[in-house]
Amino acid sequence: MREINASIPFDKRMWRQDLAGSQAHVAMLGKQGIIPAEDAARISAGLDDVAAQFEADGVPDDLALEDIHMLAEARLADGIGPSAGRLHTARSRNDQVATDFRLWVRDAIDQAEAALGALQDALLTRAEEHADSVMPGFTHLQVAQPVTLGHHLMAYFEMFARDRSRLRDARARMNLCPLGSAALAGTGFNLDREATAAALGFDGPTRNSLDSVSDRDFAIEYLTCAAQTALHLSRLAEEFVIWASQPFGFVSLSDQWSTGSSIMPQKRNPDAAELVRGHSGRITGALVSLMITMKGLPLAYSKDMQDDKPPVFEAHDLLGLSIAAMTGMVESASFRLDRMRAAAETGFSTATDLADWLVREAGVPFREAHHITGRTVAAAEAAGIRLDQLDIAQLKAIDDRIDARVYDVLSVDASVSSRTSFGGTAPARVRESVAAARRAREEEGR
């Protein structure tokens, strides 16, 4: 029973949050006259000593004391004696752990958002560097239309911007303080819950004591954000895995972010990217784990909820590692621009540009232009050349409405330069996008 009941091996990670909550609580108790002011002062000083002990020596796994709350109070009693017992006046471990966990998740959100911001900065730097670098754009992993590498990287910038937005939304929603809800019904003591909420950086107290001690929506929402972020990280990781393969050869990963083979000395394996890809499954599993734990629990607190923290802690650790790894890979990758350009020039990737030209310059209905372009692709394929290598006579033989101006759109450079619609791949648009993103990042830092 001691082993299954104890949570100290994992909830000791919340010791800073637990002591912060206790400091806010005891300050309120003293100010409200619920406990003598001298005891409040003695407890506060004692909590500082406990914090110093944990900082220096770590938190022991004392199963007899069950959890971080009991361990901290026991250490406090060791230091200041019986007056430590006044600390738990007007609170329960139920509202205590709900408060600690919110504080911890709030810190985790801040850390994830900051790390994603650093990844976005790395993407911005590389996108600006490669605003003109041509590569193939894919659909179904088939060459579709030429784009720029800068445009491709900025797509991930946008994904991570949404991830950060979701994290900020989750943080705002969770930022209410359960402390003072006690076990489940509130308390008869004259608490100042607004004061403890403010002291801990919350926007205010929670409004229903039953919900306060049983709510884990904030943890589920954090895991939802983490899972969505992990999916985006996994997609970027998969790009690096594919691009680093010999058939593609679009990128060379640094030794720092790749490994060798135990028997094949020529190998450079994208292990970091593959692990990021794998971590997405574990993070999504953490979300499912907590949702299943919570799905059938009646109000208010049940011991099942002790299992809320391990999946959150695991997801936090894996997410931090994944973001750091992808940031390092983006920063250090050597892109093989010659291979990217060569791939963009295969598969007749400017065929759509020909169809658009026929619509725009020759007044041909798009569906007819589509058929003309199909015949043009077939002619180039039969000749074993690119579309822009067909001479004007060959083009006119397919449709007399084609003239020499068509060569302005048939090369991959002309194609990307023509995609000037807002959000398009034209180098000028990519630079505008990077500049706007940099301004937004600067505003965030102010």
Side-chain angles (χ1 to χ4, degrees):
M1 181 61 188
R2 177 180 292 181
E3 186 171 346
I4 196 173
N5 197 48
S7 59
I8 188 66
F10 53 84
D11 70 17
K12 64 184 181 181
R13 289 181 66 149
M14 301 192 304
W15 70 264
R16 291 180 177 85
Q17 290 78 19
D18 189 72
L19 295 178
S22 291
Q23 287 283 18
H25 184 65
V26 76
M28 182 274 297
L29 292 177
K31 184 178 179 182
Q32 293 296 103
I34 297 172
I35 67 173
E38 57 270 22
D39 282 340
R42 188 177 299 111
I43 291 169
S44 180
L47 289 169
D48 286 338
D49 291 339
V50 173
Q53 293 172 37
F54 288 165
E55 192 71 63
D57 304 325
V59 182
D61 290 351
D62 190 338
L63 300 188
L65 290 171
E66 191 176 328
D67 56 35
I68 185 58
H69 324 298
M70 298 298 289
L71 177 63
E73 189 171 329
R75 284 292 181 92
L76 179 65
D78 289 343
I80 68 172
S83 59
R86 296 189 184 278
L87 172 60
H88 209 54
T89 305
R91 76 174 183 185
S92 161
R93 280 189 294 174
N94 291 354
D95 65 338
Q96 190 177 356
V97 69
T99 303
D100 292 357
F101 200 19
R102 282 190 189 234
L103 289 170
W104 194 95
V105 170
R106 192 175 69 183
D107 290 342
I109 287 174
D110 291 344
Q111 292 166 25
E113 199 198 339
L116 284 172
L119 175 53
Q120 285 184 299
D121 289 339
L123 288 166
L124 284 177
T125 297
R126 301 314 302 271
E128 187 172 38
E129 179 185 347
H130 293 290
D132 295 284
S133 301
V134 174
M135 66 171 290
F138 297 94
T139 60
H140 310 280
L141 208 58
Q142 303 292 311
V143 173
Q145 291 177 286
V147 296
T148 65
L149 176 56
H151 192 56
H152 193 107
L153 294 175
M154 285 301 291
Y156 284 97
F157 179 94
E158 295 297 332
M159 293 184 206
F160 296 128
R162 293 193 297 273
D163 292 330
R164 294 181 65 216
S165 175
R166 277 185 282 269
L167 285 165
R168 288 192 295 270
D169 289 346
R171 191 189 195 284
R173 227 177 333 272
M174 67 165 285
N175 204 37
L176 297 173
C177 183
L179 196 58
S181 300
L184 75 161
T187 177
F189 289 97
N190 181 31
L191 303 184
D192 185 351
R193 292 192 63 205
E194 287 77 10
T196 49
L200 293 169
F202 289 107
D203 297 329
T206 51
R207 291 179 289 274
N208 182 283
S209 60
L210 283 167
D211 180 57
S212 299
V213 299
S214 62
D215 169 41
R216 293 299 183 270
D217 289 2
F218 64 91
I220 291 172
E221 191 165 8
Y222 166 67
L223 288 178
T224 302
C225 295
Q228 181 66 73
T229 302
L231 294 182
H232 290 155
L233 291 166
S234 182
R235 294 182 72 179
L236 180 56
E238 174 67 1
E239 302 263 25
F240 273 82
V241 171
I242 292 173
W243 291 356
S245 67
Q246 279 78 9
F248 275 75
F250 286 3
V251 68
S252 177
L253 298 179
S254 68
D255 290 340
Q256 183 183 6
W257 296 106
S258 58
T259 64
S261 165
S262 61
I263 65 169
M264 295 171 283
Q266 84 281 8
K267 294 286 293 299
R268 179 179 285 180
N269 299 323
D271 283 9
E274 291 169 354
L275 287 167
V276 169
R277 192 175 58 187
H279 287 171
S280 66
R282 293 172 64 188
I283 293 170
T284 302
L287 168 62
V288 174
S289 171
L290 183 53
M291 292 178 75
I292 297 302
T293 295
M294 295 300 298
K295 74 173 181 63
L297 297 185
L299 294 175
Y301 181 84
S302 298
K303 196 67 170 182
D304 313 42
M305 293 168 68
Q306 183 166 285
D307 285 339
D308 57 0
K309 287 168 279 297
V312 172
F313 294 162
E314 180 185 23
H316 167 73
D317 293 346
L318 292 173
L319 184 65
L321 274 173
S322 296
I323 296 171
M326 290 315 306
T327 302
M329 278 185 276
V330 168
E331 289 175 338
S332 63
S334 297
F335 294 106
R336 295 282 307 280
L337 303 182
D338 55 335
R339 293 291 296 265
M340 288 184 168
R341 171 177 283 274
E345 291 176 339
T346 66
F348 310 105
S349 63
T350 59
T352 305
D353 297 276
L354 172 57
D356 288 348
W357 184 91
L358 286 165
V359 172
R360 189 173 56 248
E361 302 297 335
V364 179
F366 182 80
R367 190 53 59 196
E368 183 184 355
H370 187 278
H371 294 313
I372 295 168
T373 300
R375 295 198 300 273
T376 307
V377 168
E381 189 172 25
I385 57 178
R386 301 191 308 266
L387 290 179
D388 62 333
Q389 292 175 321
L390 290 167
D391 62 37
I392 193 62
Q394 290 171 298
L395 291 171
K396 280 189 168 294
I398 296 167
D399 193 286
D400 191 58
R401 288 169 290 187
I402 301 174
D403 61 48
R405 294 174 299 163
V406 76
Y407 292 107
D408 292 338
V409 302
L410 287 185
S411 72
V412 291
D413 291 301
S415 176
V416 297
S417 295
S418 71
R419 304 292 172 179
T420 56
S421 59
F422 184 81
T425 192
R429 284 298 193 185
V430 173
R431 291 191 178 89
E432 288 175 4
S433 178
V434 169
R438 286 198 188 282
R439 288 194 296 271
R441 292 284 293 138
E442 290 169 3
E443 286 295 323
E444 290 171 6
R446 291 175 185 168

